[in-house]
Amino acid sequence: MIKKLIVCCTCLSILGCQTNVNPLNSIFHNNVVTSSGCGDKPTVSLTGKDVEAVALDENTITKSGQVSVNKHIGYTFTATTGQKLNYSTDADICLWVFTPNNEIIDGGELPKNGKYIIQVAAPQGVKTFDLKISLGNLETAVSSPTPEYTPTPESSPTPEYTNTSENSTDNTDKNYESNLEPNNLQPENDISQEQALELVQRWYAAKPQIFAPPFDRDLLGELATGRLYARVGGVDGSIDWLQKYNRYYTYNRSEITNIMGFSNSGRLPYIKIRVVEELYLQGEKGIDKTNSGEYQIDYIYFFAKENGIWKIYKNEKI
């Protein structure tokens, strides 16, 4: 599943910024979602030995490391006004970006010329991470490639997970879930395994029309509700992101290869599947190779009744 990430942007200061701001919480912008345990600003000041200089451009680089609550790592880079910082990770980490004048920003567009610093920490315990970083135009901010999570795909860049994490338990998700109660989430789970599988198969068949022109929100509404609908068709969701940046997905293959489990006894019935997808993120410069290719992913799809009709409420990568 896509992990949770908090990002605050502030100025380059090896000592860490002391300005209070609200953490950036955005479905698609820079792959950011709130992570519990991360503050508005870091509580640890970096020293010179903790900071690595990196040269950033439009090509994505990956930096790896291990952090904890008390041990932070920093990456410093030089940028000019108007450039956009892109970053993504699957790890459950805290991340802050400091700007040259020690002010906190809440967007990907960098406001000043000079040196910036990215500070990475863990919300709790010890976390190992891989952080993808690039500097240029905001093209993708995905943790994997799929449109359901676009600026990321279901596990890599897939539209179902574009810039957000489907198994996240942030307040936005809780609000969507609570909004379905009690009228839409019905106690009777009369969905069968065959019905659940058919619904997920319809979802995969519909993705070429949802994550590419005509970006069919009506079709999305026939199949999805709750978290999945919000992430794909809501404000700043996958569809909005794709249209804003003139992107779309094409699919060569979407095949459910295995059913690994099914239950209709809980509050939200579910089916566990293995799916193989070959998809390509298309843009003005052609195929985004970083967020394209063939992926085999295990998913759990949860279902909820909306006005008496079973729909996909959310999905999580297993």
Side-chain angles (χ1 to χ4, degrees), residues 3 42 65 79 85 96 105 108 112 118 152 178 202 206 210 231 271 315:
K3 297 290 186 180
L85 176 65
W96 301 267
I105 60 174
K112 295 182 179 295
I118 301 171
T152 142
S178 64
R202 289 172 57 200
I210 294 174
R231 298 215 186 276
I271 191 170
N315 62 346

Side-chain angles (χ1 to χ4, degrees), residues 115-230:
K115 289 186 176 181
Y116 290 75
I117 190 168
I118 301 171
Q119 185 165 342
V120 184
Q124 58 185 358
V126 177
K127 303 291 182 182
T128 300
F129 67 89
D130 292 319
L131 177 65
K132 295 181 179 180
I133 320 170
S134 66
L135 193 63
N137 295 322
L138 270 179
E139 300 187 18
T140 58
V142 294
S143 297
S144 33
T146 78
E148 297 174 57
Y149 294 81
T150 302
T152 142
E154 304 184 25
S155 72
S156 9
T158 74
E160 300 178 54
Y161 293 85
T162 309
N163 221 20
T164 91
S165 152
E166 196 49 53
N167 73 328
S168 112
T169 55
D170 60 19
N171 291 332
T172 300
D173 289 335
K174 292 177 181 177
N175 289 339
Y176 283 118
E177 187 168 337
S178 64
N179 287 340
L180 290 176
E181 300 173 351
N183 296 327
N184 294 332
L185 285 178
Q186 303 296 329
E188 66 275 10
N189 292 334
D190 55 358
I191 188 171
S192 66
Q193 177 175 309
E194 291 72 20
Q195 290 173 314
L197 178 60
E198 180 186 8
L199 182 51
V200 175
Q201 288 173 329
R202 289 172 57 200
W203 165 250
Y204 280 98
K207 287 172 70 172
Q209 286 75 52
I210 294 174
F211 299 107
F215 297 106
D216 195 336
R217 281 184 167 86
D218 290 338
L219 179 58
L220 171 66
E222 293 176 9
L223 301 171
T225 186
R227 293 191 195 180
L228 182 56
Y229 185 92

Side-chain angles (χ1 to χ4, degrees), residues 199-200 203 223-225 228 301-303 310-314:
L199 182 51
V200 175
W203 165 250
L223 301 171
T225 186
L228 182 56
Y301 279 83
F302 294 89
F303 307 97
W310 284 107
K311 298 182 181 182
I312 300 172
Y313 177 73
K314 65 176 179 176

Side-chain angles (χ1 to χ4, degrees), residues 46-101:
L46 294 174
T47 62
K49 65 181 179 62
D50 299 319
V51 180
E52 176 184 351
V54 294
L56 296 183
D57 55 23
E58 292 184 353
N59 296 315
T60 299
I61 66 170
T62 300
K63 305 303 297 183
S64 302
Q66 187 176 82
V67 291
S68 67
V69 174
N70 298 318
K71 181 182 182 297
H72 295 197
I73 291 177
Y75 301 102
T76 182
F77 63 94
T78 300
T80 58
T81 302
Q83 285 188 298
K84 294 176 181 176
L85 176 65
N86 310 319
Y87 37 84
S88 66
T89 183
D90 287 340
D92 183 12
I93 58 174
C94 306
L95 190 151
W96 301 267
V97 180
F98 293 85
T99 67
N101 63 345

Side-chain angles (χ1 to χ4, degrees), residues 138-140 145-147 150 153 157-159 208 211-213 215 238 241-252 278-293:
L138 270 179
E139 300 187 18
T140 58
T146 78
T150 302
T158 74
F211 299 107
F215 297 106
S238 301
W241 184 89
L242 290 167
Q243 291 180 314
K244 180 177 181 179
Y245 294 106
N246 296 317
R247 302 295 180 94
Y248 63 94
Y249 280 91
T250 57
Y251 297 81
N252 286 357
E278 182 183 351
L279 69 164
Y280 297 90
L281 180 57
Q282 310 280 349
E284 295 176 350
K285 297 180 181 179
I287 295 174
D288 181 342
K289 295 181 180 179
T290 302
N291 295 318
S292 302

